[in-house]
PDB file of all heavy atoms in Angstrom:
ATOM      1  N   TYR A  30       0.812  -1.230  -0.021  1.00 87.00           N
ATOM      2  CA  TYR A  30      -0.007  -0.005   0.009  1.00 87.00           C
ATOM      3  C   TYR A  30       0.876   1.271  -0.006  1.00 87.00           C
ATOM      4  O   TYR A  30       0.335   2.380   0.072  1.00 87.00           O
ATOM      5  CB  TYR A  30      -0.896   0.039   1.233  1.00 87.00           C
ATOM      6  CG  TYR A  30      -2.050  -0.956   1.212  1.00 87.00           C
ATOM      7  CD1 TYR A  30      -1.842  -2.265   1.558  1.00 87.00           C
ATOM      8  CD2 TYR A  30      -3.324  -0.564   0.850  1.00 87.00           C
ATOM      9  CE1 TYR A  30      -2.894  -3.200   1.577  1.00 87.00           C
ATOM     10  CE2 TYR A  30      -4.385  -1.480   0.836  1.00 87.00           C
ATOM     11  CZ  TYR A  30      -4.123  -2.802   1.213  1.00 87.00           C
ATOM     12  OH  TYR A  30      -5.184  -3.697   1.188  1.00 87.00           O
ATOM     13  N   LEU A  31       2.208   1.117  -0.080  1.00 82.00           N
ATOM     14  CA  LEU A  31       3.086   2.252   0.063  1.00 82.00           C
ATOM     15  C   LEU A  31       2.737   3.401  -0.889  1.00 82.00           C
ATOM     16  O   LEU A  31       2.690   4.572  -0.524  1.00 82.00           O
ATOM     17  CB  LEU A  31       4.512   1.836  -0.146  1.00 82.00           C
ATOM     18  CG  LEU A  31       5.584   2.949   0.003  1.00 82.00           C
ATOM     19  CD1 LEU A  31       5.618   3.494   1.381  1.00 82.00           C
ATOM     20  CD2 LEU A  31       6.974   2.421  -0.424  1.00 82.00           C
ATOM     21  N   GLY A  32       2.502   3.080  -2.171  1.00 75.00           N
ATOM     22  CA  GLY A  32       2.214   4.096  -3.134  1.00 75.00           C
ATOM     23  C   GLY A  32       0.833   4.726  -3.027  1.00 75.00           C
ATOM     24  O   GLY A  32       0.563   5.750  -3.599  1.00 75.00           O
ATOM     25  N   ASP A  33      -0.081   4.058  -2.296  1.00 78.00           N
ATOM     26  CA  ASP A  33      -1.476   4.486  -2.204  1.00 78.00           C
ATOM     27  C   ASP A  33      -1.828   5.168  -0.904  1.00 78.00           C
ATOM     28  O   ASP A  33      -2.740   6.038  -0.905  1.00 78.00           O
ATOM     29  CB  ASP A  33      -2.407   3.291  -2.409  1.00 78.00           C
ATOM     30  CG  ASP A  33      -2.353   2.730  -3.813  1.00 78.00           C
ATOM     31  OD1 ASP A  33      -1.916   3.491  -4.726  1.00 78.00           O
ATOM     32  OD2 ASP A  33      -2.704   1.570  -3.999  1.00 78.00           O
ATOM     33  N   LEU A  34      -1.172   4.849   0.169  1.00 78.00           N
ATOM     34  CA  LEU A  34      -1.605   5.320   1.492  1.00 78.00           C
ATOM     35  C   LEU A  34      -0.570   6.172   2.225  1.00 78.00           C
ATOM     36  O   LEU A  34      -0.748   6.493   3.370  1.00 78.00           O
ATOM     37  CB  LEU A  34      -2.034   4.118   2.352  1.00 78.00           C
ATOM     38  CG  LEU A  34      -3.263   3.379   1.876  1.00 78.00           C
ATOM     39  CD1 LEU A  34      -3.573   2.213   2.800  1.00 78.00           C
ATOM     40  CD2 LEU A  34      -4.451   4.299   1.811  1.00 78.00           C
ATOM     41  N   THR A  35       0.515   6.509   1.555  1.00 86.00           N
ATOM     42  CA  THR A  35       1.435   7.472   2.167  1.00 86.00           C
ATOM     43  C   THR A  35       0.993   8.910   1.830  1.00 86.00           C
ATOM     44  O   THR A  35      -0.169   9.104   1.445  1.00 86.00           O
ATOM     45  CB  THR A  35       2.840   7.217   1.634  1.00 86.00           C
ATOM     46  OG1 THR A  35       2.820   7.348   0.187  1.00 86.00           O
ATOM     47  CG2 THR A  35       3.362   5.846   1.979  1.00 86.00           C
ATOM     48  N   ASP A  36       1.844   9.866   1.897  1.00 90.00           N
ATOM     49  CA  ASP A  36       1.488  11.226   1.578  1.00 90.00           C
ATOM     50  C   ASP A  36       1.601  11.502   0.077  1.00 90.00           C
ATOM     51  O   ASP A  36       1.543  12.649  -0.359  1.00 90.00           O
ATOM     52  CB  ASP A  36       2.388  12.209   2.328  1.00 90.00           C
ATOM     53  CG  ASP A  36       2.218  12.137   3.837  1.00 90.00           C
ATOM     54  OD1 ASP A  36       1.129  11.704   4.250  1.00 90.00           O
ATOM     55  OD2 ASP A  36       3.109  12.491   4.582  1.00 90.00           O
ATOM     56  N   HIS A  37       1.794  10.468  -0.690  1.00 89.00           N
ATOM     57  CA  HIS A  37       1.975  10.599  -2.154  1.00 89.00           C
ATOM     58  C   HIS A  37       0.836  11.433  -2.772  1.00 89.00           C
ATOM     59  O   HIS A  37      -0.363  11.165  -2.514  1.00 89.00           O
ATOM     60  CB  HIS A  37       2.040   9.205  -2.795  1.00 89.00           C
ATOM     61  CG  HIS A  37       2.178   9.251  -4.261  1.00 89.00           C
ATOM     62  ND1 HIS A  37       3.225   9.895  -4.898  1.00 89.00           N
ATOM     63  CD2 HIS A  37       1.421   8.720  -5.275  1.00 89.00           C
ATOM     64  CE1 HIS A  37       3.095   9.737  -6.219  1.00 89.00           C
ATOM     65  NE2 HIS A  37       2.027   9.036  -6.452  1.00 89.00           N
ATOM     66  N   GLY A  38       1.189  12.435  -3.531  1.00 89.00           N
ATOM     67  CA  GLY A  38       0.185  13.259  -4.175  1.00 89.00           C
ATOM     68  C   GLY A  38      -0.303  14.449  -3.332  1.00 89.00           C
ATOM     69  O   GLY A  38      -1.050  15.256  -3.828  1.00 89.00           O
ATOM     70  N   SER A  39       0.080  14.496  -2.093  1.00 94.00           N
ATOM     71  CA  SER A  39      -0.417  15.560  -1.221  1.00 94.00           C
ATOM     72  C   SER A  39       0.405  16.853  -1.437  1.00 94.00           C
ATOM     73  O   SER A  39       1.304  16.956  -2.271  1.00 94.00           O
ATOM     74  CB  SER A  39      -0.303  15.156   0.275  1.00 94.00           C
ATOM     75  OG  SER A  39       1.032  15.248   0.706  1.00 94.00           O
ATOM     76  N   ASP A  40       0.058  17.845  -0.668  1.00 96.00           N
ATOM     77  CA  ASP A  40       0.791  19.144  -0.734  1.00 96.00           C
ATOM     78  C   ASP A  40       2.226  19.028  -0.298  1.00 96.00           C
ATOM     79  O   ASP A  40       3.001  19.961  -0.539  1.00 96.00           O
ATOM     80  CB  ASP A  40       0.065  20.178   0.092  1.00 96.00           C
ATOM     81  CG  ASP A  40      -0.125  19.727   1.542  1.00 96.00           C
ATOM     82  OD1 ASP A  40      -0.364  18.559   1.790  1.00 96.00           O
ATOM     83  OD2 ASP A  40      -0.098  20.589   2.481  1.00 96.00           O
ATOM     84  N   LEU A  41       2.606  17.921   0.312  1.00 96.00           N
ATOM     85  CA  LEU A  41       3.990  17.764   0.822  1.00 96.00           C
ATOM     86  C   LEU A  41       4.912  17.142  -0.222  1.00 96.00           C
ATOM     87  O   LEU A  41       6.116  17.074   0.023  1.00 96.00           O
ATOM     88  CB  LEU A  41       3.943  16.889   2.085  1.00 96.00           C
ATOM     89  CG  LEU A  41       3.046  17.299   3.222  1.00 96.00           C
ATOM     90  CD1 LEU A  41       3.170  16.334   4.388  1.00 96.00           C
ATOM     91  CD2 LEU A  41       3.339  18.726   3.660  1.00 96.00           C
ATOM     92  N   ILE A  42       4.390  16.670  -1.334  1.00 94.00           N
ATOM     93  CA  ILE A  42       5.160  15.879  -2.273  1.00 94.00           C
ATOM     94  C   ILE A  42       5.435  16.654  -3.549  1.00 94.00           C
ATOM     95  O   ILE A  42       4.547  17.271  -4.105  1.00 94.00           O
ATOM     96  CB  ILE A  42       4.378  14.565  -2.622  1.00 94.00           C
ATOM     97  CG1 ILE A  42       4.154  13.738  -1.353  1.00 94.00           C
ATOM     98  CG2 ILE A  42       5.163  13.748  -3.654  1.00 94.00           C
ATOM     99  CD1 ILE A  42       5.437  13.290  -0.650  1.00 94.00           C
ATOM    100  N   GLY A  43       6.683  16.606  -3.988  1.00 92.00           N
ATOM    101  CA  GLY A  43       7.125  17.318  -5.193  1.00 92.00           C
ATOM    102  C   GLY A  43       7.170  16.435  -6.423  1.00 92.00           C
ATOM    103  O   GLY A  43       7.487  16.933  -7.516  1.00 92.00           O
ATOM    104  N   HIS A  44       6.891  15.157  -6.288  1.00 89.00           N
ATOM    105  CA  HIS A  44       6.847  14.267  -7.454  1.00 89.00           C
ATOM    106  C   HIS A  44       5.439  14.255  -8.013  1.00 89.00           C
ATOM    107  O   HIS A  44       4.499  13.932  -7.293  1.00 89.00           O
ATOM    108  CB  HIS A  44       7.248  12.873  -7.016  1.00 89.00           C
ATOM    109  CG  HIS A  44       7.122  11.819  -8.106  1.00 89.00           C
ATOM    110  ND1 HIS A  44       7.959  11.753  -9.168  1.00 89.00           N
ATOM    111  CD2 HIS A  44       6.221  10.861  -8.280  1.00 89.00           C
ATOM    112  CE1 HIS A  44       7.611  10.771  -9.968  1.00 89.00           C
ATOM    113  NE2 HIS A  44       6.549  10.208  -9.444  1.00 89.00           N
ATOM    114  N   LYS A  45       5.305  14.576  -9.248  1.00 85.00           N
ATOM    115  CA  LYS A  45       3.982  14.678  -9.841  1.00 85.00           C
ATOM    116  C   LYS A  45       3.843  13.697 -11.016  1.00 85.00           C
ATOM    117  O   LYS A  45       4.779  13.553 -11.852  1.00 85.00           O
ATOM    118  CB  LYS A  45       3.740  16.110 -10.398  1.00 85.00           C
ATOM    119  CG  LYS A  45       3.751  17.158  -9.250  1.00 85.00           C
ATOM    120  CD  LYS A  45       2.587  16.889  -8.274  1.00 85.00           C
ATOM    121  CE  LYS A  45       2.903  17.385  -6.912  1.00 85.00           C
ATOM    122  NZ  LYS A  45       1.896  17.011  -5.911  1.00 85.00           N
ATOM    123  N   GLU A  46       2.693  13.029 -11.079  1.00 82.00           N
ATOM    124  CA  GLU A  46       2.429  12.066 -12.120  1.00 82.00           C
ATOM    125  C   GLU A  46       0.922  11.851 -12.192  1.00 82.00           C
ATOM    126  O   GLU A  46       0.139  12.362 -11.380  1.00 82.00           O
ATOM    127  CB  GLU A  46       3.110  10.755 -11.828  1.00 82.00           C
ATOM    128  CG  GLU A  46       2.608  10.070 -10.543  1.00 82.00           C
ATOM    129  CD  GLU A  46       3.337   8.799 -10.223  1.00 82.00           C
ATOM    130  OE1 GLU A  46       4.277   8.412 -10.939  1.00 82.00           O
ATOM    131  OE2 GLU A  46       2.935   8.138  -9.258  1.00 82.00           O
ATOM    132  N   GLU A  47       0.530  11.068 -13.161  1.00 81.00           N
ATOM    133  CA  GLU A  47      -0.865  10.662 -13.234  1.00 81.00           C
ATOM    134  C   GLU A  47      -1.057   9.381 -12.431  1.00 81.00           C
ATOM    135  O   GLU A  47      -0.457   8.356 -12.754  1.00 81.00           O
ATOM    136  CB  GLU A  47      -1.295  10.456 -14.692  1.00 81.00           C
ATOM    137  CG  GLU A  47      -1.221  11.711 -15.543  1.00 81.00           C
ATOM    138  CD  GLU A  47      -2.021  12.862 -14.982  1.00 81.00           C
ATOM    139  OE1 GLU A  47      -3.180  12.605 -14.533  1.00 81.00           O
ATOM    140  OE2 GLU A  47      -1.544  14.003 -14.974  1.00 81.00           O
ATOM    141  N   SER A  48      -1.817   9.415 -11.375  1.00 82.00           N
ATOM    142  CA  SER A  48      -2.067   8.263 -10.553  1.00 82.00           C
ATOM    143  C   SER A  48      -3.361   8.462  -9.779  1.00 82.00           C
ATOM    144  O   SER A  48      -3.778   9.602  -9.599  1.00 82.00           O
ATOM    145  CB  SER A  48      -0.887   8.014  -9.558  1.00 82.00           C
ATOM    146  OG  SER A  48      -0.887   8.996  -8.530  1.00 82.00           O
ATOM    147  N   PRO A  49      -3.985   7.400  -9.323  1.00 83.00           N
ATOM    148  CA  PRO A  49      -5.272   7.575  -8.586  1.00 83.00           C
ATOM    149  C   PRO A  49      -5.160   8.469  -7.375  1.00 83.00           C
ATOM    150  O   PRO A  49      -6.060   9.303  -7.150  1.00 83.00           O
ATOM    151  CB  PRO A  49      -5.627   6.134  -8.235  1.00 83.00           C
ATOM    152  CG  PRO A  49      -4.990   5.285  -9.265  1.00 83.00           C
ATOM    153  CD  PRO A  49      -3.690   5.985  -9.572  1.00 83.00           C
ATOM    154  N   LEU A  50      -4.076   8.335  -6.586  1.00 82.00           N
ATOM    155  CA  LEU A  50      -3.972   9.157  -5.401  1.00 82.00           C
ATOM    156  C   LEU A  50      -3.711  10.634  -5.769  1.00 82.00           C
ATOM    157  O   LEU A  50      -4.205  11.520  -5.075  1.00 82.00           O
ATOM    158  CB  LEU A  50      -2.886   8.631  -4.460  1.00 82.00           C
ATOM    159  CG  LEU A  50      -2.948   9.185  -3.052  1.00 82.00           C
ATOM    160  CD1 LEU A  50      -4.287   8.884  -2.386  1.00 82.00           C
ATOM    161  CD2 LEU A  50      -1.831   8.579  -2.161  1.00 82.00           C
ATOM    162  N   GLN A  51      -2.899  10.856  -6.760  1.00 88.00           N
ATOM    163  CA  GLN A  51      -2.676  12.206  -7.203  1.00 88.00           C
ATOM    164  C   GLN A  51      -3.953  12.816  -7.795  1.00 88.00           C
ATOM    165  O   GLN A  51      -4.271  13.990  -7.578  1.00 88.00           O
ATOM    166  CB  GLN A  51      -1.532  12.298  -8.194  1.00 88.00           C
ATOM    167  CG  GLN A  51      -0.179  11.895  -7.566  1.00 88.00           C
ATOM    168  CD  GLN A  51       0.940  12.858  -7.869  1.00 88.00           C
ATOM    169  OE1 GLN A  51       0.821  13.730  -8.698  1.00 88.00           O
ATOM    170  NE2 GLN A  51       2.004  12.699  -7.139  1.00 88.00           N
ATOM    171  N   ASP A  52      -4.696  12.005  -8.517  1.00 91.00           N
ATOM    172  CA  ASP A  52      -6.011  12.508  -9.003  1.00 91.00           C
ATOM    173  C   ASP A  52      -6.894  12.838  -7.821  1.00 91.00           C
ATOM    174  O   ASP A  52      -7.685  13.822  -7.904  1.00 91.00           O
ATOM    175  CB  ASP A  52      -6.666  11.429  -9.893  1.00 91.00           C
ATOM    176  CG  ASP A  52      -6.087  11.370 -11.279  1.00 91.00           C
ATOM    177  OD1 ASP A  52      -5.422  12.334 -11.678  1.00 91.00           O
ATOM    178  OD2 ASP A  52      -6.265  10.359 -11.960  1.00 91.00           O
ATOM    179  N   TYR A  53      -6.843  12.007  -6.766  1.00 93.00           N
ATOM    180  CA  TYR A  53      -7.645  12.332  -5.587  1.00 93.00           C
ATOM    181  C   TYR A  53      -7.317  13.699  -5.017  1.00 93.00           C
ATOM    182  O   TYR A  53      -8.188  14.516  -4.694  1.00 93.00           O
ATOM    183  CB  TYR A  53      -7.440  11.259  -4.511  1.00 93.00           C
ATOM    184  CG  TYR A  53      -8.142  11.550  -3.185  1.00 93.00           C
ATOM    185  CD1 TYR A  53      -9.510  11.529  -3.132  1.00 93.00           C
ATOM    186  CD2 TYR A  53      -7.410  11.873  -2.078  1.00 93.00           C
ATOM    187  CE1 TYR A  53     -10.166  11.821  -1.909  1.00 93.00           C
ATOM    188  CE2 TYR A  53      -8.037  12.143  -0.889  1.00 93.00           C
ATOM    189  CZ  TYR A  53      -9.411  12.152  -0.782  1.00 93.00           C
ATOM    190  OH  TYR A  53     -10.051  12.431   0.382  1.00 93.00           O
ATOM    191  N   SER A  54      -6.022  13.994  -4.904  1.00 94.00           N
ATOM    192  CA  SER A  54      -5.589  15.264  -4.292  1.00 94.00           C
ATOM    193  C   SER A  54      -5.976  16.435  -5.199  1.00 94.00           C
ATOM    194  O   SER A  54      -6.070  17.588  -4.756  1.00 94.00           O
ATOM    195  CB  SER A  54      -4.090  15.255  -4.040  1.00 94.00           C
ATOM    196  OG  SER A  54      -3.344  15.369  -5.247  1.00 94.00           O
ATOM    197  N   ARG A  55      -6.178  16.171  -6.509  1.00 95.00           N
ATOM    198  CA  ARG A  55      -6.618  17.200  -7.421  1.00 95.00           C
ATOM    199  C   ARG A  55      -8.158  17.319  -7.498  1.00 95.00           C
ATOM    200  O   ARG A  55      -8.711  18.151  -8.224  1.00 95.00           O
ATOM    201  CB  ARG A  55      -6.100  16.860  -8.830  1.00 95.00           C
ATOM    202  CG  ARG A  55      -4.574  16.841  -8.927  1.00 95.00           C
ATOM    203  CD  ARG A  55      -4.128  16.318 -10.269  1.00 95.00           C
ATOM    204  NE  ARG A  55      -2.702  16.172 -10.313  1.00 95.00           N
ATOM    205  CZ  ARG A  55      -2.024  15.098 -10.764  1.00 95.00           C
ATOM    206  NH1 ARG A  55      -2.730  14.062 -11.215  1.00 95.00           N
ATOM    207  NH2 ARG A  55      -0.713  15.061 -10.766  1.00 95.00           N
ATOM    208  N   GLY A  56      -8.861  16.458  -6.759  1.00 95.00           N
ATOM    209  CA  GLY A  56     -10.329  16.483  -6.775  1.00 95.00           C
ATOM    210  C   GLY A  56     -10.909  15.818  -7.982  1.00 95.00           C
ATOM    211  O   GLY A  56     -12.063  16.090  -8.359  1.00 95.00           O
ATOM    212  N   ASN A  57     -10.130  14.881  -8.601  1.00 94.00           N
ATOM    213  CA  ASN A  57     -10.591  14.258  -9.852  1.00 94.00           C
ATOM    214  C   ASN A  57     -11.098  12.818  -9.671  1.00 94.00           C
ATOM    215  O   ASN A  57     -11.285  12.128 -10.658  1.00 94.00           O
ATOM    216  CB  ASN A  57      -9.438  14.246 -10.837  1.00 94.00           C
ATOM    217  CG  ASN A  57      -9.069  15.664 -11.335  1.00 94.00           C
ATOM    218  OD1 ASN A  57      -9.869  16.524 -11.250  1.00 94.00           O
ATOM    219  ND2 ASN A  57      -7.831  15.797 -11.756  1.00 94.00           N
ATOM    220  N   THR A  58     -11.344  12.385  -8.463  1.00 93.00           N
ATOM    221  CA  THR A  58     -11.753  11.017  -8.185  1.00 93.00           C
ATOM    222  C   THR A  58     -13.182  10.766  -8.696  1.00 93.00           C
ATOM    223  O   THR A  58     -14.070  11.563  -8.466  1.00 93.00           O
ATOM    224  CB  THR A  58     -11.676  10.692  -6.696  1.00 93.00           C
ATOM    225  OG1 THR A  58     -10.321  10.857  -6.282  1.00 93.00           O
ATOM    226  CG2 THR A  58     -12.115   9.273  -6.418  1.00 93.00           C
ATOM    227  N   GLN A  59     -13.340   9.666  -9.413  1.00 92.00           N
ATOM    228  CA  GLN A  59     -14.663   9.252  -9.887  1.00 92.00           C
ATOM    229  C   GLN A  59     -15.035   7.893  -9.272  1.00 92.00           C
ATOM    230  O   GLN A  59     -14.166   7.129  -8.894  1.00 92.00           O
ATOM    231  CB  GLN A  59     -14.674   9.104 -11.415  1.00 92.00           C
ATOM    232  CG  GLN A  59     -14.376  10.373 -12.158  1.00 92.00           C
ATOM    233  CD  GLN A  59     -15.399  11.476 -11.877  1.00 92.00           C
ATOM    234  OE1 GLN A  59     -16.603  11.214 -11.804  1.00 92.00           O
ATOM    235  NE2 GLN A  59     -14.918  12.718 -11.656  1.00 92.00           N
ATOM    236  N   PRO A  60     -16.304   7.594  -9.083  1.00 94.00           N
ATOM    237  CA  PRO A  60     -16.684   6.325  -8.468  1.00 94.00           C
ATOM    238  C   PRO A  60     -16.148   5.125  -9.264  1.00 94.00           C
ATOM    239  O   PRO A  60     -16.439   5.040 -10.486  1.00 94.00           O
ATOM    240  CB  PRO A  60     -18.240   6.369  -8.480  1.00 94.00           C
ATOM    241  CG  PRO A  60     -18.552   7.820  -8.538  1.00 94.00           C
ATOM    242  CD  PRO A  60     -17.480   8.453  -9.376  1.00 94.00           C
ATOM    243  N   PRO A  61     -15.417   4.230  -8.648  1.00 94.00           N
ATOM    244  CA  PRO A  61     -14.924   3.036  -9.314  1.00 94.00           C
ATOM    245  C   PRO A  61     -16.037   1.979  -9.361  1.00 94.00           C
ATOM    246  O   PRO A  61     -16.947   1.986  -8.501  1.00 94.00           O
ATOM    247  CB  PRO A  61     -13.784   2.592  -8.437  1.00 94.00           C
ATOM    248  CG  PRO A  61     -14.189   2.973  -7.049  1.00 94.00           C
ATOM    249  CD  PRO A  61     -14.964   4.283  -7.207  1.00 94.00           C
ATOM    250  N   GLU A  62     -15.946   1.075 -10.304  1.00 95.00           N
ATOM    251  CA  GLU A  62     -16.929  -0.022 -10.304  1.00 95.00           C
ATOM    252  C   GLU A  62     -16.657  -0.958  -9.144  1.00 95.00           C
ATOM    253  O   GLU A  62     -17.583  -1.377  -8.472  1.00 95.00           O
ATOM    254  CB  GLU A  62     -16.856  -0.777 -11.643  1.00 95.00           C
ATOM    255  CG  GLU A  62     -17.829  -1.941 -11.719  1.00 95.00           C
ATOM    256  CD  GLU A  62     -17.807  -2.678 -13.045  1.00 95.00           C
ATOM    257  OE1 GLU A  62     -16.988  -2.298 -13.927  1.00 95.00           O
ATOM    258  OE2 GLU A  62     -18.573  -3.648 -13.168  1.00 95.00           O
ATOM    259  N   ASN A  63     -15.388  -1.305  -8.995  1.00 92.00           N
ATOM    260  CA  ASN A  63     -14.970  -2.172  -7.859  1.00 92.00           C
ATOM    261  C   ASN A  63     -13.756  -1.596  -7.199  1.00 92.00           C
ATOM    262  O   ASN A  63     -12.990  -0.860  -7.821  1.00 92.00           O
ATOM    263  CB  ASN A  63     -14.655  -3.588  -8.402  1.00 92.00           C
ATOM    264  CG  ASN A  63     -15.869  -4.319  -8.882  1.00 92.00           C
ATOM    265  OD1 ASN A  63     -16.785  -4.686  -8.160  1.00 92.00           O
ATOM    266  ND2 ASN A  63     -15.925  -4.544 -10.221  1.00 92.00           N
ATOM    267  N   GLU A  64     -13.597  -1.920  -5.940  1.00 90.00           N
ATOM    268  CA  GLU A  64     -12.437  -1.489  -5.186  1.00 90.00           C
ATOM    269  C   GLU A  64     -12.080  -2.578  -4.187  1.00 90.00           C
ATOM    270  O   GLU A  64     -12.296  -2.456  -2.992  1.00 90.00           O
ATOM    271  CB  GLU A  64     -12.713  -0.140  -4.451  1.00 90.00           C
ATOM    272  CG  GLU A  64     -11.500   0.746  -4.442  1.00 90.00           C
ATOM    273  CD  GLU A  64     -11.807   2.133  -3.916  1.00 90.00           C
ATOM    274  OE1 GLU A  64     -12.725   2.290  -3.102  1.00 90.00           O
ATOM    275  OE2 GLU A  64     -11.076   3.044  -4.315  1.00 90.00           O
ATOM    276  N   SER A  65     -11.573  -3.684  -4.738  1.00 89.00           N
ATOM    277  CA  SER A  65     -11.403  -4.891  -3.933  1.00 89.00           C
ATOM    278  C   SER A  65     -10.506  -4.642  -2.725  1.00 89.00           C
ATOM    279  O   SER A  65     -10.846  -5.039  -1.613  1.00 89.00           O
ATOM    280  CB  SER A  65     -10.810  -6.003  -4.814  1.00 89.00           C
ATOM    281  OG  SER A  65     -11.706  -6.355  -5.843  1.00 89.00           O
ATOM    282  N   SER A  66      -9.353  -4.003  -2.923  1.00 89.00           N
ATOM    283  CA  SER A  66      -8.404  -3.872  -1.818  1.00 89.00           C
ATOM    284  C   SER A  66      -8.939  -3.017  -0.704  1.00 89.00           C
ATOM    285  O   SER A  66      -8.558  -3.137   0.428  1.00 89.00           O
ATOM    286  CB  SER A  66      -7.094  -3.278  -2.337  1.00 89.00           C
ATOM    287  OG  SER A  66      -6.481  -4.120  -3.264  1.00 89.00           O
TER     288      SER A  66
END
């Protein structure tokens, strides 16, 4: 879960990319069909 549940994508991080958690911090999250984990 390191890439998903750390501070990745938050205001504290200078690494920027397209990823679900970074999309979340940008307010771009959409309802997933499934979220098994």
Side-chain angles (χ1 to χ4, degrees):
Y30 288 82
L31 179 65
D33 292 338
L34 294 177
T35 57
D36 295 337
H37 179 57
S39 77
D40 56 324
L41 306 181
I42 300 298
H44 174 73
K45 297 297 154 186
E46 64 182 3
E47 297 303 319
S48 71
L50 195 57
Q51 295 228 349
D52 282 342
Y53 174 69
S54 72
R55 298 170 185 134
N57 293 337
T58 299
Q59 299 299 318
E62 180 179 1
N63 292 293
E64 215 171 30
S65 296
S66 297

